[in-house]
Amino acid sequence: MNNVAYVTTPGGEELAILPRSELDALRESLDHAQALGSFRAGQIPGLTPDEARALVAAVSPLAFWRRYRKLTQAVLSASVGVTQHYLSEIENGKRGGDVALWLRLARALEVPVEGLVDEGD
């Protein structure tokens, strides 16, 4: 954070200008802190090293968490009001879903919605 420049707007508001790389590093630190807070609050279960590797290797975080909760696609899809085929396509990245669906999935799987999507999505 050595390259921060400060400017004052005509209205008197002080703004900080920093390089994009430093902004990205701050965002990454915030994401990490929020995830750690969610873990400590019991919102995200702790994973064993094998489970963490399985999460990384899974076709999608949604697929991992469904398996982690020992749910079939048929059971999860019925609980959130979509077809099993549609859920399969979402898990495999072939289709998306609206925000309401992702919230229902997160509730059904007992994980924050942020835990169900890849960062690039």
Side-chain angles (χ1 to χ4, degrees):
M1 295 279 291
N2 297 330
N3 298 321
V4 178
Y6 297 93
V7 296
T8 304
T9 67
E13 182 180 16
E14 190 174 28
L15 304 176
I17 301 172
L18 64 155
R20 175 59 159 232
S21 61
E22 292 188 25
L23 174 63
D24 291 343
L26 283 172
R27 285 182 174 157
E28 194 171 310
S29 294
L30 177 61
D31 288 346
H32 177 76
Q34 288 173 331
L36 186 57
S38 293
F39 170 73
R40 287 183 175 157
Q43 296 169 328
I44 299 175
L47 300 177
T48 66
D50 286 341
E51 291 167 337
R53 284 189 284 278
L55 173 58
V56 171
V59 66
S60 68
L62 174 59
F64 168 81
W65 287 110
R66 179 184 56 76
R67 287 187 201 104
Y68 181 85
R69 297 293 187 207
K70 297 178 175 38
L71 298 173
T72 64
Q73 286 182 343
V75 169
L76 180 59
S77 63
S79 75
V80 299
V82 298
T83 66
Q84 181 271 326
H85 180 73
Y86 186 44
L87 179 63
S88 174
E89 288 187 331
I90 292 172
E91 282 189 3
N92 288 291
K94 294 178 182 173
R95 292 187 67 180
D98 63 21
V99 172
L101 172 58
W102 285 101
L103 291 171
R104 291 192 311 271
L105 288 165
R107 279 192 295 274
L109 295 169
E110 300 176 17
V111 296
V113 71
E114 298 86 355
L116 295 180
V117 293
D118 285 319
E119 192 172 306
D121 290 348

